[in-house]
Amino acid sequence: MQINVLGSAAGGGFPQWNCNCRNCQGVRNGTIKASARTQSSIAISDNGIDFVLCNASPDIAHQIAATPALNKKGVLRGTGIGSIILTDSQIDHTTGLLSLREGCPHQVWCTSEVHDDLTTGFPIFNLLSHWNGGLVHHPIQPGEPFSVAVCPALKFTAIPLLSNAPPYSQYRNKPLPGHNVALFIEDSRNGKTLLYAPGLGETDRALMGWLRRADCLLIDGTLWQDNEMETTGVGHHTGRDMGHLALAEEQGLIALLSSLPAERKILIHINNTNPILDEESAERQALTQAGIEVSWDGMQIDL
């Protein structure tokens, strides 16, 4: 299984276009050791040629251009992306579908809750129906394995997450189980497994079972502290308000990841305020000592 990290930042990217926090200023003027990042998205393949896109970032056009493996040779128009799976209906995971309209129809896998949000509050399925067949919905039932034709060796299972629905959803602050899912992905040829969870508000017993099974975790690293937005002066929402479990809290993600047996533990969906973006920060060193990696745009993971 080949995993290409197309974008590793949270919504707004890094540096965020309208932000002058320490991190964003620092990466612009070179006063911190950090790399710019686009918004969170990955592409997965079982042969290095045909790919499943997991979440469609607003930066998808740039990400495709920056990823030679997605350049489909021998066709007049097209990419290596054969199917799309959405883990939620958030803006930063779905807006890229608009940029992919010239390639419609696209086969899109998502839960009924995500599909409902994307035909009502943010009706992107409706909008794109005007482009050559638009988005063809394939329903995902959480807990039931499924496969996609372009990568037949891979088996996907959607795992419900305790997080939140987007602000335009009628289920904001009262999400249903299918509004946010992780993807448990197994390569049937070698048995290797990945758990991909770019949004994670809290854990429960069912999720812990899947976390313990994974050989590699590619997981939500949005915030260092729950009140980080307030302490950096850029907002008032907490991580829990937004559906993200902070890294450094007493019951946070570092403690969780340290208890798991996965061979690799990698953070994705990192907010521009998070001090771990500074490669020389004490927080980044703490992650390294805990055996936790920070993903970057262009990172390739082979399982």
Side-chain angles (χ1 to χ4, degrees):
M1 184 191 329
Q2 176 181 319
I3 305 110
N4 289 72
V5 176
L6 305 182
S8 53
F14 176 63
Q16 184 170 305
W17 64 277
N18 66 339
C19 185
N20 288 308
C21 70
R22 176 186 179 274
N23 279 349
C24 289
Q25 282 186 317
V27 74
R28 288 190 188 104
N29 60 29
T31 56
I32 65 171
K33 186 179 180 182
S35 299
R37 289 167 157 81
T38 58
Q39 294 167 88
S40 173
S41 182
I42 66 172
I44 300 178
S45 178
D46 62 2
N47 62 10
I49 299 171
D50 303 294
F51 287 83
V52 176
L53 177 66
C54 297
N55 294 322
S57 157
D59 302 311
I60 187 62
H62 171 81
Q63 293 168 347
I64 292 172
T67 310
L70 296 181
N71 179 19
K72 193 175 183 77
K73 297 178 175 63
V75 298
L76 184 61
R77 285 194 171 185
T79 71
I81 298 170
S83 293
I84 301 168
I85 302 175
L86 304 176
T87 63
D88 55 53
S89 52
Q90 298 284 352
I91 285 282
D92 51 331
H93 284 159
T94 59
T95 310
L97 293 168
L98 294 170
S99 296
L100 297 177
R101 64 191 180 278
E102 293 89 354
C104 287
H106 291 293
Q107 309 303 310
V108 179
W109 299 77
C110 64
T111 65
S112 59
E113 291 87 349
V114 168
H115 184 255
D116 181 63
D117 282 347
L118 298 180
T119 52
T120 55
F122 182 33
I124 199 166
F125 272 83
N126 312 38
L127 291 170
L128 290 179
S129 66
H130 301 282
W131 275 268
N132 195 34
L135 307 176
V136 181
H137 177 224
H138 299 266
I140 293 174
Q141 183 63 38
E144 294 186 5
F146 65 97
S147 59
V148 298
V150 296
C151 293
L154 303 182
K155 181 173 70 176
F156 299 83
T157 305
I159 312 301
L161 295 177
L162 298 173
S163 190
N164 206 346
Y168 44 78
S169 173
Q170 62 177 318
Y171 293 98
R172 179 68 169 178
N173 296 322
K174 50 180 180 180
L176 301 174
H179 273 112
N180 297 272
V181 298
L183 292 176
F184 187 83
I185 307 164
E186 182 176 3
D187 190 323
S188 62
R189 298 164 300 185
N190 61 13
K192 291 293 186 178
T193 55
L194 168 75
L195 191 136
Y196 172 56
L200 176 61
E202 56 183 293
T203 59
D204 57 16
R205 181 176 297 178
L207 177 61
M208 286 300 299
W210 292 98
L211 289 167
R212 292 191 181 101
R213 286 178 56 185
D215 295 305
C216 179
L217 299 170
L218 191 54
I219 199 163
D220 186 346
T222 305
L223 299 174
W224 181 256
Q225 293 181 315
D226 189 56
N227 65 345
E228 185 173 303
M229 302 291 282
E230 183 173 8
T231 59
T232 55
V234 300
H236 299 288
H237 292 297
T238 66
R240 292 187 183 277
D241 289 339
M242 299 183 289
H244 298 288
L245 180 61
L247 287 160
E249 302 298 310
E250 184 176 350
Q251 301 294 323
L253 270 171
I254 293 177
L256 170 65
L257 292 174
S258 297
S259 72
L260 297 172
E263 299 168 11
R264 297 186 69 179
K265 305 163 186 180
I266 308 170
L267 302 178
I268 195 168
H269 197 273
I270 304 156
N271 198 58
N272 65 88
T273 55
N274 195 326
I276 66 173
L277 290 169
D278 181 350
E279 298 174 23
E280 298 177 332
S281 66
E283 292 84 356
R284 184 64 165 266
Q285 303 313 309
L287 289 182
T288 300
Q289 291 173 7
I292 300 170
E293 303 173 60
V294 178
S295 67
W296 68 87
D297 291 21
M299 182 183 193
Q300 181 173 314
I301 306 160
D302 295 300
L303 295 178

